[in-house]
Amino acid sequence: MFSMTFSEAREAHAGLSVAGCGRHLISCFRRYFSVGGRHRGPSGAMGGAEGHTRSRQMAPQPQAHRQKIPSQALQAPDFPVAEQSSSDAGRFLVAQRPVSPGELLVYESPVALGPRASCYPVCLGCHELISDEAVPRCERCWWPLCSQRCASSLRHAAECPVLAADSQRIGQPQFFGYSSKYDVILVVRCLLLRRTNPDAWRHLLELASHVPYRLLEDDDDHQTTVDYVTQVLKVEEDTQLVHHVRDAITTNSFEWTSPSGVRLRGLYLQLSRLNHSCRPSVSVSSDGKGTMFVRAARDLAGGDALTVAYTSTLHPLWERRAYTKQTHYFICDCDRCSDPTELGVHYSSLPCPECRGQYLEPTTWLGDATWECPVCGRRQEEAAIREEVDRWMSRFDYDDTFIKSTPTAVRGILDGVQMAFHAHHYVWVMAAQVAIRTLAPDHSRKAMTLKRQLWQRLLHIYSILEPGMTRRRGAVPLPPFAHSPPAAPAWRSH
Ligand SMILES: [Zn+2]
Ligand SMILES: [Zn+2]
Ligand SMILES: [Zn+2]
Ligand SMILES: [Zn+2]
């Protein structure tokens, strides 16, 4: 894992400035960028065919991390969580003792909450969406606010004079509509922590930094916000500090939906230590005030890492890999990604054209993957596999494949998908979800039977990809409900 603290990043950044050469930038930071990143196992980095395991067994938990570094109690004794660290996985949370599914492990309120980087006009005081197309504004800073009462709210009062420094109105959203200008708000709020919450500020500085990579990759959105904060708002002179804060938000913030349905993002310092797995071990829920609750999704042993999925577990391998690499700068080697069969579901594979019942498996773990049949050795470039998947997906995205289809026709389409891929493949899962939505108004016996069968198979797949007490499994209707509406809750029964 590329895991420098702010002070380490500052040193490295200083070295880069002296070097002044892109190639040197790469060599300077390559040592921080490791395959496996937040999930590098005890065997270290994998490379090429050597590192390619065909085992279906789950990869072991990172014992090496547990043994090397003594645990440090992080929460009150009631919370069975400890923090550990390693050079490649950074700082991460583990269970301190065996825990049961559903057990509360950590809860936390955000140290800073604000609009997402791009969003529709939202009031900076009450965080409600602004529906007035005339866009009412704060008299002082000219940012959208629903009332002057919100302008004097505790949330906006501290940032208002900072935002008001933009007297030319460069950074304020100009029109009613979707805007990327909100990116700056949470950055400003986090910078203000230095004064308002020194303890949180200290923790924020300790978060892992990916700034050198963002600079290396010419992340325009990142640079634009940093330039605006340092050159227009002038809230902080130290450019590297602003780089760090903006990077910490991009990497670590959690999205939270308010009770009125407004999607916001918050910085949670403890939750930022949750590492990633495409088969997460905890589930995260929230209350109406933005507090997040982390519960064990399944039985965990003492020392097991607490993991969430940074990206959807229903994305195919190449999409998950691209996301973690581009956003978090590591290549996932969780127990699912390091198993070429993806826990036996062949979720991203194509069948081998030569061997009946065999599926191609990824063989290259660095760079562009090639997929290969483990029996006959037939190879296919990943680009061709993606093209085939995209071709099928376009039928469900854009065509009216399922519209006006009878349950029998829908079943035939899904059977066709199953012929082309594994029965648990990504395309089948997506097609089944579309089919269920399309058949929602159809209460005929045939439709209800088909929907129940689809839900049952989806539940089976979800139980492999996100086992335990997870939101994904919880969203699946119980089989009897596929036949008839659920009974009224007890409090409504008379
Ligand atoms: Zn308001
Ligand atoms: Zn204001
Ligand atoms: Zn993974
Ligand atoms: Zn084959």
Side-chain angles (χ1 to χ4, degrees):
M1 178 61 187
F2 178 75
S3 57
M4 287 182 283
T5 61
F6 169 65
S7 56
E8 289 166 341
R10 183 198 287 281
E11 277 179 31
H13 194 171
L16 293 181
S17 304
V18 172
C21 161
R23 187 167 297 166
H24 183 72
L25 288 180
I26 296 172
S27 63
C28 205
F29 290 101
R30 193 181 295 283
R31 64 196 171 93
Y32 292 107
F33 185 61
S34 60
V35 175
R38 295 191 156 201
H39 275 278
R40 195 169 175 180
S43 58
M46 295 190 293
E50 288 295 314
H52 178 176
T53 170
R54 293 180 188 278
S55 166
R56 279 191 180 202
Q57 292 179 334
M58 303 300 170
Q61 290 293 326
Q63 293 284 344
H65 299 162
R66 294 205 295 274
Q67 291 163 357
K68 276 190 298 188
I69 296 146
S71 297
Q72 177 189 354
L74 187 77
Q75 288 280 345
D78 290 340
F79 292 106
V81 173
E83 185 178 290
Q84 293 185 356
S85 64
S86 70
S87 57
D88 50 4
R91 296 166 66 175
F92 55 95
L93 299 181
V94 298
Q96 208 170 25
R97 58 164 172 75
V99 294
S100 306
E103 192 167 342
L104 181 62
L105 302 175
V106 180
Y107 68 83
E108 184 182 18
S109 299
V111 293
L113 188 68
R116 294 184 305 145
S118 297
C119 59
Y120 286 100
V122 61
C123 173
L124 297 189
C126 64
H127 283 165
E128 293 296 328
L129 286 178
I130 291 175
S131 54
D132 184 350
E133 294 192 16
V135 188
R137 294 175 184 273
C138 173
E139 289 176 354
R140 190 171 178 193
C141 69
W142 210 64
W143 273 82
L145 282 162
C146 56
S147 67
Q148 282 309 307
R149 191 168 154 215
C150 284
S152 56
S153 67
L154 205 57
R155 181 176 283 141
H156 183 62
E159 71 200 7
C160 186
V162 174
L163 298 173
D166 180 4
S167 56
Q168 302 294 311
R169 297 176 179 174
I170 301 167
Q172 292 89 336
Q174 300 294 313
F175 310 105
F176 183 82
Y178 205 71
S179 171
S180 61
K181 296 195 170 183
Y182 281 90
D183 186 41
V184 72
I185 298 301
L186 195 54
V187 175
V188 168
R189 289 178 180 177
C190 284
L191 287 168
L192 291 173
L193 290 174
R194 186 182 208 168
R195 178 159 47 88
T196 59
N197 189 343
D199 197 41
W201 175 252
R202 185 172 52 79
H203 280 95
L204 197 161
L205 293 186
E206 291 172 357
L207 293 179
S209 174
H210 311 94
V211 169
Y213 269 97
R214 296 204 190 282
L215 298 180
L216 202 62
E217 293 179 354
D218 292 329
D219 183 336
D220 286 342
D221 293 339
H222 177 87
Q223 191 63 52
T224 300
T225 295
V226 171
D227 287 347
Y228 180 74
V229 168
T230 53
Q231 296 171 25
V232 179
L233 300 184
K234 297 179 180 170
V235 60
E236 174 59 57
E237 289 180 356
D238 188 339
T239 307
Q240 291 178 44
L241 202 55
V242 182
H243 276 301
H244 177 80
V245 168
R246 203 276 180 181
D247 170 73
I249 292 168
T250 304
T251 309
N252 295 296
S253 60
F254 278 69
E255 192 168 301
W256 172 70
T257 303
S258 74
S260 55
V262 181
R263 292 166 66 192
L264 303 164
R265 57 178 178 163
L267 191 63
Y268 299 79
L269 296 171
Q270 306 273 30
L271 268 63
S272 68
R273 309 284 189 217
L274 292 171
N275 270 355
H276 164 82
S277 170
C278 301
R279 188 172 175 270
S281 67
V282 302
S283 63
V284 181
S285 57
S286 62
D287 66 7
K289 294 181 178 176
T291 302
M292 295 279 185
F293 299 86
V294 178
R295 290 184 168 83
R298 52 181 189 266
D299 284 316
L300 298 177
D304 281 355
L306 310 188
T307 55
V308 291
Y310 293 175
T311 182
S312 173
T313 57
L314 295 190
H315 285 162
L317 177 64
W318 50 84
E319 284 186 20
R320 303 195 311 273
R321 184 185 286 161
Y323 179 83
T324 58
K325 185 178 176 188
Q326 288 164 11
T327 306
H328 298 274
Y329 302 97
F330 71 92
I331 296 172
C332 185
D333 72 342
C334 70
D335 51 7
R336 177 178 170 190
C337 290
S338 57
D339 177 352
T341 73
E342 290 191 67
L343 309 175
V345 296
H346 295 282
Y347 192 76
S348 316
S349 317
L350 284 186
C352 174
E354 307 292 337
C355 310
R356 189 180 174 85
Q358 286 296 329
Y359 294 87
L360 305 180
E361 298 177 355
T363 61
T364 313
W365 296 93
L366 289 170
D368 293 333
T370 299
W371 293 60
E372 183 181 302
C373 173
V375 174
C376 72
R378 183 180 173 118
R379 297 186 132 216
Q380 194 155 16
E381 293 302 313
E382 185 168 279
I385 293 179
R386 296 175 61 165
E387 204 171 291
E388 178 67 1
V389 166
D390 289 347
R391 192 175 66 79
W392 276 86
M393 289 299 293
S394 66
R395 295 178 60 187
F396 309 118
D397 285 345
Y398 306 113
D399 293 356
D400 55 355
T401 303
F402 289 123
I403 306 295
K404 296 179 185 169
S405 289
T406 63
T408 305
V410 169
R411 189 186 290 277
I413 294 166
L414 290 167
D415 286 347
V417 176
Q418 193 171 323
M419 293 283 286
F421 302 96
H422 189 275
H424 297 152
H425 192 273
Y426 162 67
V427 174
W428 188 89
V429 169
M430 295 299 120
Q433 290 181 345
V434 174
I436 288 170
R437 279 200 299 275
T438 308
L439 292 173
D442 189 340
H443 299 294
S444 68
R445 178 173 291 275
K446 271 190 176 176
M448 297 303 278
T449 302
L450 177 57
K451 282 187 280 187
R452 188 191 70 226
Q453 290 170 346
L454 295 180
W455 275 124
Q456 284 175 331
R457 196 199 288 184
L458 285 173
L459 181 60
H460 172 69
I461 297 170
Y462 295 167
S463 298
I464 296 169
L465 303 182
E466 286 193 39
M469 295 177 65
T470 60
R471 184 185 298 267
R472 174 104 39 218
R473 294 184 71 249
V476 177
L478 292 173
F481 294 172
H483 279 303
S484 57
W491 61 271
R492 291 183 62 187
S493 300
H494 299 291

